[in-house]
Amino acid sequence: MTNFAELSTEDRLKHLQGTLAKRHAKEKRLKTYGIIAITFAITFLVVLLTTVVSNGYTALQQTEMRLALDIPVEELVDENGTIDLKKSADFNWSGMLKKSLRKNFPEVKGMMDRRNLSDLLSANAGYELRQDLEKMGRIDRPSGYFWVKTSDDVDMLMKGRMSRDIPEDQRRLSNVQIGWVDQLVDQGAIRKVFNKSFFTKADSREPESAGILGAVVGSALALIVTVVFALPLAVMAAIYLEYFAKPGRVTDLIEVNINNLAAVPSIVFGLLGLAVFLGFFGMPRSAPLVGGMVLALMTLPTIIIATRASIRAVPSSIRDAALGIGASPMQAALDHVLPLAAPGILTGTIIGLAQALGETAPLIMIGMVAFIVDVPDGLTSPATALPVQIFIWSDSAERAFYERSSLAIVCLLLFLIVMNLTAVILRKKLERKW
Amino acid sequence: MLDALFSFGGLLVFILALTIGSFFFSKKRIASMAQVAGTKPHSLGFYYGLYAAIWVFVPAILLLVAFTAATKPFLENLILQSLLTAQPNLPESFVPLKIAQIKNIANGFIAPEDDVMAALGQEYANARLMMSKLRIAVVLLVGLLGLGFALWRISPQFKSRIVFENFMRRTFFIAAVIAILTTIGIVASLLFEALRFFAAYSFLDFFFGTHWAPNVALRGGEPAADEDVGGASGAYGMVPVMAGTLLIAIIAMAVAVPIGLFSAIYMAEFASPKVRDFIKPTLEVLAGIPTVVYGFFAALTAAPFFRSIGLNLGMDVSSQSALAAGAVMGVMIIPFISSLSDDVISAVPQSLRDGAYGLGSTKGETVTKVVLPAALPGLIGAFLLGISRAIGETMIVVMAAGVSANLTANPLESVTTVTVQIVMLLTGDTVFDSPKTLSAFALGITLFTVTLLLNIGALTAARRLGEKYD
């Protein structure tokens, strides 16, 4: 180091100017690091979203196969011409489809080949045709062309998600099977249509029949329970802490607990739900009621903190004026401060709910991870939730479930965007500057 | 119409209707009482209505919930007694199955296999119907009694506003106390189950054992054959699990701290307000993405990506490497670290910066030599909260990290974490009272304690920052 005291003024200036470039370079470096860091974070966000969307958008379509059917009406209907449910249950629907498919390929002989050919059809195709017809009640068009779902493997092949170049033994469709599919394509007997099942059905073992409706309804039911429990409790707790709590040990303890609960890992809430709600109170497993209660306990701190902030944002002159003309503290709080704080409370609640909607771990703990094929019809019927459904599907081996979980993620993110945008717009619209 | 009363929801709606009715009736009554007496009532009319409404609603609802909660165990106990009287020699392991059968018979789902079961099913159905009737009677009686009491109490002299406000204040207090109750509930339930685990398994072996293998059933279903894995009850030494958790948390922090900190420095000190207004919400989007989405990305995109890089470099990267899970978790924590650090850096008094500028330092020197040291306690707080997040994070590791416990510091290998083990131990078909499921609660209380200490540390550090420059 140069000893500045020994230098003349001129030399000092020279020295400083000499190091100045280096010092500025250092500053520039620091700035660059910041820009790199931010670029990295934003790039990751873009990569994440593109991956999900590019993997998921194909799930909006489902491949179908055209089959010429001749439904034996007399075996299925009663004397009025409506479908007899008992007869329909006894009828071999899937056999009829397979037979029709085999007619397209008369050269296919032998048990194995026939089975391989049938594998091009969805395992649920017969069942779904039956359900469609039963819903209509009568068979208006017994013979002609029908479009039925193909298996998920054919679906993947048609969407280009299954490469023809990889060795046959690593592919889920054999070369022969691909040849059949190509023949069907040449005949114009393969088409891709909008994947309605994805939005109208619950989970299924077959990817082509699996949908998110059950999970969405489950999430919605759980969130309703969350709001019903969390919002009133949070508002009451916030009013107490802001206006009625006397400074002291109990109040301090409450404050510490609220802040701490906000940072407790979500899985611990799941353990609490499992041990207390399921174990101690014997509430039903997999129920949106229990899921909603666990989520309510989890989001309670968030909503309390948001409510307190918006209560504090109301100028004290409002309360003082109310007290001044003879309102009781309770009247001032409930009739004057609370309405003015309501927009902020609403915003905080929506943000808390958005958080709860994305939670997965606590719901897994209380059994909402089960395989459930029915759309839940009540607060205590077994259900799953949208993020849990994503988890279940991404754990499955089939490539088609990968695509579907990506699309489910897109749906989940859309829900979250809508909720957060609502919160932002509400805040902008209703916020009052004092 | 009357059938609806048999369901919980129907009864609830009926109580609500009764409550609303009581409100208006009571309000009307006090008006007429005041007119007769020729005085003005102490409080506004609707306070009398609210008073009656509370007396109808609160006791009836509490009773409804309590009665419903008690019904199930009561019925099960009842049917268990009948079952044991009817079939005294029934082996104990068959009892839950039989009870489930009886319930299904009562619901008409299955046909009874013999007369005994048919009788038991009938008995269960009768008892259940009786309980529903009893519930309706009791709840409605209490509701009406409440109404009667309220109507008996009210008079123009009755200070219903004061009574109502005191009631509300107490209710508010109870709502606030729920935060304490939740903590107590967490600690008590975790501790209770964990203690049951420690009754069967040594405390020291759990915290200092280096072998974690709870899935003894996977070893061919032959218990106690292999002394090394601790016999029938499995081995529960949590050191490798904790080590795996720390390894992944360290990787996550290695990603999150530099990126989060540099972003925060840039945003707080260098960025123009316009740029800041764009970057800050964008980073917050990262915080709003559900963890299951990160887990999906880690397991199905990041892990294969790291694996293929490893293959090109001639290294063997596990498909469930700690690196992939840790790196993605790190990205998840970036917005957390950056926004906390941003707040802390912005909270450093401007006078410190002005002093540094006055002495001729550049902006960069001011940041690194003055602002950051001043903000250090707060930054440490943010760092601790970040670690706490990383340790408690579940979905990313459940989806992208391993299941088997390896004691290794190599980030390319697969490790497991505390949260993964909790999920693994408590999902699937397990008996609730086995050491296997109970050990999850022992892990849970450990996780809770560690994160609690980290949170307290973070709060203390942040408080120290505040004291220094006040």
Side-chain angles (χ1 to χ4, degrees):
Chain A
M1 271 309 271
T2 326
N3 189 350
F4 281 91
E6 291 167 6
L7 293 175
S8 67
T9 319
E10 222 165 279
D11 284 344
R12 277 187 212 177
L13 264 179
K14 219 181 246 165
H15 177 84
L16 281 180
Q17 265 155 10
T19 53
L20 202 56
K22 237 190 206 166
R23 292 168 59 198
H24 279 303
K26 229 181 185 172
E27 177 179 323
K28 221 170 213 160
R29 262 205 307 277
L30 187 64
K31 216 170 149 179
T32 319
Y33 291 153
I35 293 174
I36 292 174
I38 290 168
T39 317
F40 174 86
I42 293 177
T43 314
F44 181 91
L45 181 64
V46 172
V47 170
L48 177 74
L49 295 180
T50 2
T51 315
V52 171
V53 172
S54 66
N55 278 318
Y57 79 97
T58 45
L60 284 173
Q61 289 197 314
Q62 167 66 41
T63 310
E64 287 188 347
M65 181 191 292
R66 193 186 62 191
L67 291 177
L69 293 183
D70 195 6
I71 304 173
V73 180
E74 61 287 354
E75 285 179 36
L76 291 166
V77 295
D78 53 21
E79 55 272 23
N80 303 325
T82 47
I83 295 180
D84 188 328
L85 294 182
K86 206 163 156 33
K87 285 181 184 169
S88 165
D90 290 339
F91 183 69
N92 184 0
W93 290 91
S94 124
M96 177 177 72
L97 298 184
K98 285 176 188 167
K99 221 186 276 168
S100 160
L101 179 60
R102 276 205 295 269
K103 259 191 218 146
N104 281 348
F105 298 95
E107 72 281 5
V108 177
K109 296 263 153 55
M111 274 286 278
M112 273 311 280
D113 278 351
R114 282 181 163 196
R115 184 176 306 156
N116 286 338
L117 183 60
S118 305
D119 279 349
L120 300 183
L121 275 169
S122 162
N124 277 354
Y127 179 68
E128 284 181 4
L129 178 65
R130 174 188 152 195
Q131 278 199 318
D132 282 351
L133 291 175
E134 278 178 2
K135 208 190 253 168
M136 281 193 283
R138 47 195 306 121
I139 303 170
D140 296 329
R141 190 174 60 96
S143 59
Y145 284 134
F146 283 78
W147 287 95
V148 297
K149 281 179 189 159
T150 64
S151 72
D152 55 310
D153 293 330
V154 177
D155 191 37
M156 289 295 102
L157 181 77
M158 291 309 297
K159 288 172 179 169
R161 296 278 190 212
M162 182 192 290
S163 169
R164 292 162 184 251
D165 304 330
I166 54 173
E168 189 176 7
D169 54 348
Q170 287 171 28
R171 224 189 295 127
R172 287 175 55 103
L173 288 179
S174 66
N175 287 340
V176 184
Q177 282 176 312
I178 290 184
W180 292 331
V181 174
D182 288 341
Q183 270 186 32
L184 285 171
V185 173
D186 289 343
Q187 293 166 12
I190 293 272
R191 69 170 185 187
K192 278 187 267 182
V193 291
F194 177 67
N195 187 357
K196 217 174 93 188
S197 307
F198 187 80
F199 298 99
T200 54
K201 292 225 157 84
D203 203 0
S204 165
R205 295 267 182 237
E206 308 297 330
E208 63 271 17
S209 324
I212 56 168
L213 184 65
V216 169
V217 172
S219 275
L221 290 174
L223 283 191
I224 290 171
V225 175
T226 307
V227 175
V228 167
F229 278 95
L231 183 58
L233 282 177
V235 171
M236 292 194 288
I239 292 179
Y240 175 79
L241 290 172
E242 285 300 315
Y243 290 136
F244 297 109
K246 295 186 188 74
R249 212 174 281 165
V250 179
T251 309
D252 282 350
L253 193 64
I254 294 173
E255 303 243 9
V256 168
N257 268 298
I258 289 172
N259 287 328
N260 181 53
L261 282 179
V264 166
S266 60
I267 192 170
V268 172
F269 284 97
L271 286 175
L272 172 75
L274 178 64
V276 174
F277 295 147
L278 298 190
F280 189 71
F281 289 116
M283 294 167 102
R285 258 181 101 78
S286 313
L289 175 68
V290 183
M293 286 168 70
V294 171
L295 292 178
L297 286 181
M298 254 187 67
T299 43
L300 201 55
T302 316
I303 306 182
I304 291 180
I305 291 167
T307 308
R308 292 184 71 178
S310 39
I311 287 178
R312 262 187 231 146
V314 177
S316 57
S317 55
I318 302 274
R319 183 162 178 265
D320 294 343
L323 294 177
I325 54 168
S328 71
M330 185 64 76
Q331 285 171 328
L334 292 184
D335 301 348
H336 300 273
V337 178
L338 197 58
L340 293 171
I345 298 174
L346 200 62
T347 318
T349 309
I350 295 175
I351 288 171
L353 286 183
Q355 232 175 55
L357 175 59
E359 267 310 331
T360 321
L363 301 182
I364 292 180
M365 287 290 97
I366 56 142
M368 285 182 85
V369 70
F371 172 71
I372 289 146
V373 288
D374 295 316
V375 177
D377 58 357
L379 289 177
T380 50
S381 60
T384 182
L386 190 50
V388 185
Q389 187 71 72
I390 292 167
F391 167 64
I392 297 173
W393 282 348
S394 58
D395 228 20
S396 309
E398 285 96 341
R399 184 66 178 70
F401 272 129
Y402 178 39
E403 175 193 88
R404 277 161 174 78
S405 52
S406 297
L407 187 58
I409 287 177
V410 174
C411 296
L412 176 62
L413 292 180
L414 282 179
F415 280 125
L416 291 178
I417 290 171
V418 168
M419 289 173 85
N420 282 300
L421 274 186
T422 318
V424 170
I425 291 170
L426 275 179
R427 188 183 294 162
K428 284 245 163 75
K429 274 234 152 129
L430 300 174
E431 194 179 49
R432 218 197 273 194
K433 289 270 180 282
W434 302 93
Chain B
M1 180 57 206
L2 271 177
D3 287 351
L5 284 182
F6 282 89
S7 76
F8 184 89
L11 203 50
L12 187 71
V13 170
F14 190 83
I15 295 174
L16 281 175
L18 188 66
T19 306
I20 295 169
S22 312
F23 173 84
F24 287 108
F25 183 75
S26 178
K27 199 175 147 191
K28 234 183 174 158
R29 186 163 160 80
I30 192 67
S32 63
M33 277 170 95
Q35 210 170 23
V36 169
T39 52
K40 255 177 89 179
H42 169 271
S43 314
L44 293 171
F46 74 94
Y47 281 110
Y48 294 90
L50 286 174
Y51 177 75
I54 288 171
W55 268 107
V56 173
F57 186 73
V58 177
I61 285 292
L62 289 181
L63 195 74
L64 174 63
V65 172
F67 200 99
T68 311
T71 301
K72 203 178 149 197
F74 172 77
L75 283 179
E76 265 171 22
N77 196 31
L78 187 80
I79 208 69
L80 178 71
Q81 297 305 330
S82 309
L83 180 69
L84 291 181
T85 339
Q87 299 181 323
N89 312 328
L90 194 68
E92 200 172 322
S93 54
F94 274 32
V95 169
L97 182 76
K98 282 277 178 194
I99 288 189
Q101 272 182 0
I102 293 170
K103 280 187 195 168
N104 279 332
I105 292 169
N107 287 330
F109 294 156
I110 56 171
E113 53 195 24
D114 53 37
D115 289 348
V116 179
M117 288 302 276
L120 284 173
Q122 193 56 46
E123 186 187 337
Y124 183 81
N126 290 344
R128 198 174 49 182
L129 187 65
M130 216 263 300
M131 286 302 273
S132 305
K133 281 181 182 162
L134 195 62
R135 183 170 76 178
I136 298 174
V138 171
V139 167
L140 289 189
L141 183 69
V142 167
L144 291 174
L145 276 180
L147 178 61
F149 178 76
L151 292 178
W152 173 64
R153 283 290 301 274
I154 61 169
S155 68
Q157 291 81 39
F158 181 65
K159 296 171 177 166
S160 65
R161 181 177 61 78
I162 310 283
V163 176
F164 169 75
E165 288 185 351
N166 285 338
F167 169 79
M168 287 307 275
R169 194 146 46 211
R170 265 175 224 131
T171 316
F172 287 6
F173 174 70
I174 292 170
V177 166
I178 289 210
I180 301 182
L181 290 183
T182 310
T183 311
I184 294 176
I186 289 175
V187 174
S189 62
L190 293 185
L191 208 57
F192 179 69
E193 308 287 351
L195 286 179
R196 282 170 68 195
F197 172 72
F198 288 127
Y201 198 84
S202 150
F203 191 77
L204 288 176
D205 286 350
F206 178 75
F207 284 107
F208 300 106
T210 55
H211 195 87
W212 180 267
N215 282 318
V216 184
L218 288 179
R219 303 178 77 89
E222 284 176 9
D226 191 345
E227 283 299 319
D228 285 346
V229 297
S233 51
Y236 302 95
M238 68 167 289
V239 169
V241 180
M242 206 62 201
T245 311
L246 285 182
L247 178 64
I248 289 183
I250 288 168
I251 295 171
M253 295 314 280
V255 172
V257 168
I259 295 179
L261 193 56
F262 281 123
S263 317
I265 292 172
Y266 184 81
M267 280 195 293
E269 300 287 336
F270 294 109
S272 65
K274 239 185 182 168
V275 174
R276 199 184 144 88
D277 279 353
F278 168 73
I279 296 172
K280 221 173 149 62
T282 314
L283 286 185
E284 270 163 23
V285 171
L286 276 179
I289 292 177
T291 54
V292 69
V293 179
Y294 282 107
F296 178 82
F297 186 80
L300 298 165
T301 309
F305 174 71
F306 283 119
R307 194 171 155 75
S308 68
I309 289 185
L311 282 178
N312 287 335
L313 297 175
M315 282 187 295
D316 185 31
V317 182
S318 160
S319 60
Q320 295 179 322
S321 64
L323 186 62
V328 174
M329 190 191 282
V331 176
M332 185 200 84
I333 299 176
I334 289 174
F336 200 67
I337 299 272
S338 74
S339 77
L340 282 175
S341 309
D342 188 5
D343 293 347
V344 170
I345 291 172
S346 306
V348 172
Q350 184 62 28
S351 57
L352 290 185
R353 289 188 189 86
D354 294 344
Y357 294 146
L359 289 171
S361 30
T362 65
K363 197 160 195 179
E365 284 162 350
T366 310
V367 171
T368 49
K369 299 202 172 126
V370 176
V371 175
L372 287 188
L376 192 63
L379 295 179
I380 291 176
F383 179 75
L384 292 178
L385 280 182
I387 294 189
S388 159
R389 263 276 171 103
I391 290 179
E393 170 47 41
T394 309
M395 288 323 292
I396 295 179
V397 280
V398 166
M399 294 167 83
V403 182
S404 61
N406 298 325
L407 191 52
T408 173
N410 181 355
L412 306 181
E413 279 183 42
S414 147
V415 294
T416 192
T417 73
V418 173
T419 46
V420 173
Q421 288 307 316
I422 294 176
V423 171
M424 291 298 146
L425 292 167
L426 289 178
T427 46
D429 301 319
T430 42
V431 193
F432 195 74
D433 284 345
S434 71
K436 196 177 140 187
T437 48
L438 291 179
S439 71
F441 289 92
L443 287 177
I445 190 95
T446 317
L447 178 69
F448 179 74
T449 315
V450 171
T451 51
L452 182 69
L453 290 178
L454 285 168
N455 296 341
I456 292 174
L459 282 179
T460 323
R463 199 172 298 146
R464 210 167 268 173
L465 172 77
E467 281 165 6
K468 211 153 106 194
Y469 295 106
D470 269 351

